[in-house]
Amino acid sequence: MYLRCICSNKYEYAIGKEEKKCITLPSTVVLPHDLIVELLSYLPVKSLVRFRSVCKSWKTVIYDPTFVKLHLKRSPTRNPLFTLTTYHVPRTLGYYYSVIPYPISRFIENRSFNLSVDPYYSLEDKECSHIVGTCNGLICLSHYSYIDDQFNKEFWLRLWNPATRTISPQFGYFRGFYVFDFKFGYDNSTGKYKVVAFRYHNQKSNVRILSFGDNVWRDIEGLPAVPVHLHFNYHEHAAIGCVYLCGSLNWLAIHNINEYNYKDITVGQFLIVSLDLGTETYNQYMLPRRVDGVLSGTPTVSVLGGCLCFSYSYKETDFVIWQMKKFGVEDSWTQFLKISFHNLQVECNFSKPRMMHYFELVPLFLSENGDTLALTSIGDSNAILYNLSDNRVEQTKFTAARITTSGCSQWRNQKKITGWAAKKFMTYNL
Amino acid sequence: MAEEKSQASSSKMLTLKASDGVLFEVELNIAKEMKTVQAYIDDCEDIETIPIPNVLGKHLAIVIEYIKKTNEEYDAEFEKQWNMDDLQLLLLAANYLNISGLQECLCKAIAKRIENKSPEYVRKVFNIENDHSPEEEAKLRKEYKWAFEGVDKD
């Protein structure tokens, strides 16, 4: 017997030589239930789906909503992905997109790559034409059909969980005139996923909300200010005008659109209108007061490092990003980055009509260690990677393999959505 | 490079007695990382030898070393040395001794090892009996065929 702690990697007992032999015994260790649950919470979704067949109690655990929440909590520690959407020519008109989940870390290491698209990720067999948004690994899709020649449409949604390969049937039908935009988010207070449909027309807005599960649209109060990007009809880029963060949807807005003149706008004219998905009421937040000078084009909102961000072009020479370090606290606006377009190796032509109304450079995401910022120009299929510590700029180059749309998978009926998040998904059109 | 935890706080020594009688002399601040041991000390201030009836000397030695050396690099290399049985026994030890850092490290390590394995392999490793009926199991495999693709051969 030893009296002192043995401080080395190789421990040795001078008890008997048998101890040093390597014996493989059949396992006699039985872990208690709570340790099994903890173990399972660190597994990726594909493994969990497979391990449901291990035994009945594992199947029960894996289906349990409390476990689902625990697993979701662990997911930021796993490999975060973002989603690329590719545009391709399908067999059936109207379904143009496929989704490609891609690990952020791999993207940062390897800027040029060929993407091969898994046919499972095509929207075609899901019969949806648009990606509304992503949250906790779930992707909300939408589609519509015209019901007459007066632009009246019928809209509907589907909720898709690519990690478990399950998709809901169509739900949330409603009929509406003109264009409705949708946004998808998660209400932390009730644990419900919600979809918000909003329409802005003739300086009036209609907003309605649906909780997944209830499947009933409820009209709520309209937006208290004008959502700037919608005013200029940039629906396909609704992403730059409204973002989901911390259980709320946040629009870049302006109080009096009639005072808006893109030639000499200042930050003070804008505000953030925030819809709390729990209370379904609005808050309004001012933008950083310390910004002076004239902006070129309407700014954009985005989310970086878990914070609401506000970015714009300053005097047509610099790109600036502010971060709201503490959500909802106006004093916490901090300038995150100011870099010249020249250093970013980006050419911004401010005489282009689109640039007059909104500014095209959009932040995509920040790497886990906060070192690398990914940006893109709207409509461009490449991204820029800017390294904040050494000021290096690199352009990415994607080529997506053409999708062969043969072999559509069978339509799935009545699948249960378990709401797992294997990875953090963010959708951007690249 | 592993760094030894600072001994500045206390040079008072404590003895831990494993289930097979092996004794370990450790500094107080190391012993305190085991919340179970901390609770014992809080109850009986003058104690010198603390019994650890659930943990073999072999595993207690590993646990103590972990506490002394732990950092990210060490964690990454740490789990590679042990076989599946030892990992599970260490997990039980970490759970009993209430050392959350080690418990998380071991859970992640075990999860990583079984991630790409078949249900049969997993049953052997955790000593679990398959109580699904053959029909139930066949149904699960058929419905989620994609989850069974690319799995390591047993």
Side-chain angles (χ1 to χ4, degrees):
Chain A
M1 273 203 293
Y2 280 103
L3 286 172
R4 287 201 174 272
C5 173
I6 301 146
C7 301
S8 67
N9 276 340
K10 296 185 190 57
Y11 56 88
E12 286 171 10
Y13 295 104
I15 295 174
K17 285 198 183 142
E18 311 90 70
E19 289 287 349
K20 293 183 191 175
K21 256 194 287 185
C22 199
I23 307 166
T24 328
L25 294 163
S27 176
T28 51
V29 186
V30 177
L31 291 177
H33 182 80
D34 56 339
L35 285 181
I36 295 278
V37 172
E38 194 175 330
L39 256 175
L40 291 176
S41 74
Y42 288 103
L43 284 169
V45 175
K46 184 179 172 190
S47 311
L48 289 174
V49 171
R50 188 167 64 245
F51 293 161
R52 281 192 281 209
S53 59
V54 167
C55 66
K56 286 191 172 157
S57 87
W58 278 41
K59 184 173 170 214
T60 311
V61 167
I62 291 170
Y63 269 122
D64 187 88
T66 320
F67 173 73
V68 170
K69 279 215 176 94
L70 174 65
H71 186 267
L72 179 60
K73 206 168 63 152
R74 301 253 191 259
S75 68
T77 63
R78 274 187 291 266
N79 194 15
L81 309 187
F82 71 99
T83 6
L84 296 156
T85 41
T86 69
Y87 187 91
H88 64 103
V89 179
R91 283 182 313 174
T92 342
L93 221 58
Y95 309 118
Y96 299 106
Y97 297 108
S98 270
V99 154
I100 308 170
Y102 202 78
I104 289 180
S105 51
R106 221 194 301 165
F107 173 67
I108 290 175
E109 287 159 29
N110 237 337
R111 261 81 62 199
S112 295
F113 47 91
N114 278 317
L115 291 168
S116 59
V117 185
D118 184 333
Y120 173 69
Y121 288 99
S122 150
L123 294 198
E124 188 169 356
D125 64 332
K126 294 157 190 72
E127 302 196 348
C128 286
S129 54
H130 286 93
I131 297 167
V132 167
T134 71
C135 193
N136 294 342
L138 295 179
I139 303 185
C140 184
L141 304 171
S142 74
H143 197 52
Y144 63 85
S145 63
Y146 283 102
I147 43 184
D148 57 30
D149 53 6
Q150 306 293 315
F151 300 115
N152 284 304
K153 295 174 175 161
E154 182 164 54
F155 299 91
W156 63 86
L157 306 164
R158 293 189 85 177
L159 201 55
W160 177 29
N161 186 339
T164 59
R165 302 205 171 195
T166 45
I167 189 165
S168 76
Q170 296 169 347
F171 69 97
Y173 285 91
F174 76 91
R175 296 185 161 200
F177 172 77
Y178 200 54
V179 182
F180 265 89
D181 289 297
F182 296 91
K183 249 350 209 202
F184 177 53
Y186 180 68
D187 166 24
N188 295 306
S189 62
T190 55
K192 289 193 161 187
Y193 289 93
K194 294 190 177 180
V195 183
V196 174
F198 50 99
R199 175 181 71 189
Y200 177 77
H201 186 58
N202 284 339
Q203 298 197 31
K204 242 190 64 174
S205 68
N206 297 110
V207 185
R208 37 176 59 166
I209 217 172
L210 174 145
S211 293
F212 184 69
D214 296 346
N215 297 347
V216 170
W217 287 102
R218 288 171 288 113
D219 285 310
I220 62 170
E221 205 185 318
L223 295 164
V226 177
V228 198
H229 293 88
L230 288 186
H231 184 77
F232 296 118
N233 291 334
Y234 295 121
H235 300 280
E236 70 271 25
H237 305 307
I240 59 172
C242 176
V243 290
Y244 166 78
L245 179 66
C246 299
S248 64
L249 292 182
N250 302 275
W251 283 267
L252 181 71
I254 194 164
H255 272 306
N256 192 342
I257 196 70
N258 297 317
E259 286 177 1
Y260 184 91
N261 182 346
Y262 60 81
K263 289 212 184 99
D264 51 11
I265 13 162
T266 55
V267 168
Q269 291 175 261
F270 295 104
L271 65 144
I272 305 275
V273 165
S274 179
L275 172 64
D276 182 315
L277 290 175
T279 60
E280 297 178 2
T281 56
Y282 298 99
N283 289 306
Q284 298 181 36
Y285 305 123
M286 298 309 294
L287 287 161
R289 277 171 261 258
R290 297 187 299 292
V291 179
D292 49 22
V294 169
L295 314 182
S296 321
T298 307
T300 58
V301 282
S302 56
V303 175
L304 287 178
C307 297
L308 185 65
C309 288
F310 170 71
S311 54
Y312 55 89
S313 148
Y314 179 69
K315 292 187 175 169
E316 297 192 8
T317 53
D318 294 295
F319 179 59
V320 186
I321 305 176
W322 285 73
Q323 245 186 342
M324 194 182 217
K325 289 287 190 193
K326 273 189 123 180
F327 182 66
V329 177
E330 290 166 356
D331 286 337
S332 71
W333 281 110
T334 313
Q335 186 171 295
F336 174 73
L337 176 71
K338 183 173 186 177
I339 183 170
S340 67
F341 294 124
H342 177 77
N343 287 344
L344 267 181
Q345 299 172 23
V346 162
E347 272 194 44
C348 284
N349 182 357
F350 286 95
S351 57
K352 263 199 304 195
R354 265 175 22 162
M355 294 284 261
M356 293 194 299
H357 292 299
Y358 70 89
F359 180 61
E360 283 184 353
L361 205 56
V362 175
L364 287 175
F365 57 80
L366 204 55
S367 63
E368 290 283 290
N369 60 8
D371 248 2
T372 309
L373 173 68
L375 305 152
T376 189
S377 215
I378 303 252
D380 201 345
S381 61
N382 282 300
I384 303 163
L385 289 179
Y386 173 64
N387 189 310
L388 292 151
S389 37
D390 60 20
N391 289 323
R392 252 183 323 129
V393 172
E394 294 189 62
Q395 296 265 349
T396 66
K397 201 148 175 60
F398 305 116
T399 35
R402 213 134 210 257
I403 302 174
T404 49
T405 51
S406 58
C408 257
S409 59
Q410 284 299 322
W411 186 309
R412 293 159 187 261
N413 294 314
Q414 308 293 79
K415 284 297 171 188
K416 191 163 85 159
I417 299 292
T418 56
W420 286 336
K423 295 117 186 173
K424 230 187 298 194
F425 270 15
M426 292 176 277
T427 295
Y428 297 94
N429 291 321
L430 282 186
Chain B
M1 271 168 292
E3 279 179 1
E4 301 284 337
K5 275 194 150 56
S6 130
Q7 298 180 24
S9 53
S10 170
S11 55
K12 181 176 176 208
M13 302 298 272
L14 222 76
T15 305
L16 303 176
K17 182 174 176 182
S19 60
D20 48 2
V22 183
L23 300 173
F24 294 89
E25 211 175 11
V26 290
E27 285 100 15
L28 184 62
N29 61 327
I30 301 293
K32 280 173 153 199
E33 291 289 319
M34 309 179 210
K35 298 210 183 68
T36 305
V37 172
Q38 171 75 74
Y40 210 104
I41 300 170
D42 289 341
D43 275 346
C44 343
E45 272 184 26
D46 282 328
I47 196 85
E48 291 223 345
T49 305
I50 297 173
I52 313 282
N54 292 8
V55 187
L56 287 169
K58 153 182 172 176
H59 295 118
L60 194 52
I62 300 168
V63 167
I64 291 168
E65 173 143 340
Y66 177 90
I67 296 171
K68 287 188 164 201
K69 287 202 176 158
T70 187
N71 60 39
E72 244 176 67
E73 268 178 51
Y74 183 75
D75 277 12
E77 291 302 310
F78 173 75
E79 56 93 3
K80 290 183 185 166
Q81 314 169 52
W82 317 116
N83 67 34
M84 209 27 138
D85 271 2
D86 278 330
L87 279 181
Q88 291 183 67
L89 289 167
L90 285 168
L91 177 59
L92 282 168
N95 182 240
Y96 172 71
L97 293 167
N98 203 346
I99 311 167
S100 53
L102 178 58
Q103 189 167 323
E104 188 179 322
C105 170
L106 290 164
C107 278
K108 284 184 179 167
I110 298 173
K112 196 95 190 107
R113 287 207 194 178
I114 62 170
E115 189 174 291
N116 218 31
K117 300 293 185 198
S118 68
E120 292 78 18
Y121 182 96
V122 165
R123 285 182 204 125
K124 264 203 218 96
V125 159
F126 294 110
N127 208 23
I128 294 174
E129 205 183 300
N130 182 8
D131 55 355
H132 281 309
S133 72
E135 297 81 30
E136 274 172 350
E137 190 170 349
K139 185 166 171 247
L140 282 168
R141 279 178 184 262
K142 186 166 169 229
E143 218 177 319
Y144 303 102
K145 207 163 59 147
W146 59 273
F148 291 83
E149 287 163 13
V151 164
D152 290 349
K153 294 243 177 286
D154 285 348

